[in-house]
Amino acid sequence: MGKLERLCIKVPKVYDWITHQAEKEEKFETGDIDFFTEQDPDMQTTDVLVPDVCGYFLPETVEVSCILIEPEFPEQLCEEVGTRKDFYVEEFDTTLQVVKIQKQGEYQIVLESEHKHKPPLFSEPISFFKIEKFLLCAPEGTDVVCHVYDFDCEGSFLCNGKDGTEWTLDLTLLICQSIQAEAEVKIDIEGKICKPRPEIVLPTPAKKCPEFKFPEQCPEVFPVPPKKHKD
């Protein structure tokens, strides 16, 4: 049995860690995007185009889902952008950093009949972009690493119009992120498994509508006061 020795190891130290669900609202109408019976964007030609989406599915209810197609791996979907700024958090009596995280990629909408009686339809690639700010312990010398561990959507598809051929699609993209501030350090330490902390929400100034006021009147001349009747 070999002799035990203490070792100094080089590892990424986690300075802060949160998880966050980003949401992005999208809305499409007839003519905004096209749907095809082919999923591969390179094969989406007029030969597989479905011009009347409502006629294709009716009378069944349409279910909506999404597929992330770019980047290929979800963990490449988000990254830090811009310059960090210090922000004093009174609740914790400490200074954290405001970090900007950008999400950018392409996805497809998938439409399926409720009872799967028809093959699904796939939209053309749709680009999306979103930037959010977070409060993190991310001092100079740390790297902010963002991983998207789930990408999904919720949506509803409705046929309308006089002839029933027009449609509206409301969609909410759901992007689940794990965001860490880390730096490489050399340590000799005992430890245990840790979990992300609750997110500290960056306060935003609440803008209020001004109190509505009527223009001032001229009571001396208008309205004309009623005449006093003589007894």
Side-chain angles (χ1 to χ4, degrees):
M1 188 173 181
K3 183 180 178 181
L4 296 177
E5 60 178 326
R6 296 184 66 183
L7 299 175
C8 178
I9 62 174
K10 183 169 66 173
V11 296
K13 175 185 175 182
V14 178
Y15 283 72
D16 209 346
W17 182 19
I18 65 170
T19 57
H20 176 77
Q21 175 178 300
E23 298 185 2
K24 183 171 177 59
E25 304 289 337
E26 303 270 26
K27 185 171 184 176
F28 305 98
E29 296 179 347
T30 310
D32 291 340
I33 53 176
D34 290 326
F35 285 91
F36 305 82
T37 54
E38 173 62 51
Q39 179 178 353
D40 186 351
D42 294 332
M43 302 294 290
Q44 291 180 338
T45 64
T46 53
D47 294 335
V48 291
L49 173 67
V50 178
D52 184 4
V53 179
C54 289
Y56 181 85
F57 284 113
L58 287 177
E60 292 198 39
T61 301
V62 179
E63 297 180 346
V64 181
S65 60
C66 295
I67 302 173
L68 180 66
I69 58 175
E70 182 65 34
E72 181 179 359
F73 302 104
E75 57 268 21
Q76 300 172 352
L77 186 60
C78 60
E79 63 179 350
E80 181 185 9
V81 294
T83 305
R84 303 175 197 173
K85 295 182 180 180
D86 290 340
F87 187 90
Y88 177 71
V89 183
E90 186 175 357
E91 179 184 358
F92 296 94
D93 190 25
T94 190
T95 297
L96 299 177
Q97 284 68 47
V98 179
V99 178
K100 292 181 181 180
I101 298 294
Q102 173 182 291
K103 274 76 64 180
Q104 186 173 9
E106 290 186 341
Y107 68 99
Q108 281 179 306
I109 300 172
V110 183
L111 302 181
E112 295 183 89
S113 60
E114 182 180 11
H115 300 293
K116 309 298 187 288
H117 289 162
K118 288 282 189 74
L121 298 184
F122 303 89
S123 75
E124 61 190 271
I126 303 169
S127 299
F128 70 94
F129 173 81
K130 185 179 180 69
I131 289 182
E132 295 178 295
K133 294 180 180 179
F134 300 95
L135 282 175
L136 295 173
C137 175
E140 185 177 354
T142 59
D143 296 318
V144 174
V145 181
C146 177
H147 295 284
V148 172
Y149 58 88
D150 193 29
F151 180 91
D152 202 354
C153 72
E154 294 181 345
S156 57
F157 183 90
L158 177 65
C159 291
N160 48 36
K162 293 181 179 179
D163 56 1
T165 60
E166 297 181 1
W167 53 264
T168 300
L169 197 159
D170 289 327
L171 192 74
T172 301
L173 296 179
L174 306 174
I175 307 169
C176 301
Q177 307 158 87
S178 172
I179 304 170
Q180 292 183 185
E182 57 185 47
E184 199 171 75
V185 297
K186 297 177 178 68
I187 60 171
D188 175 9
I189 190 172
E190 294 181 356
K192 62 179 181 179
I193 296 177
C194 57
K195 297 181 180 181
R197 64 161 173 82
E199 180 182 351
I200 302 173
V201 179
L202 179 66
T204 54
K207 185 176 180 180
K208 297 183 178 179
C209 294
E211 182 181 349
F212 185 82
K213 296 181 178 180
F214 290 101
E216 293 186 6
Q217 299 187 90
C218 303
E220 295 81 6
V221 296
F222 186 87
V224 179
K227 293 182 180 181
K228 294 182 179 180
H229 297 282
K230 295 182 180 180
D231 294 336

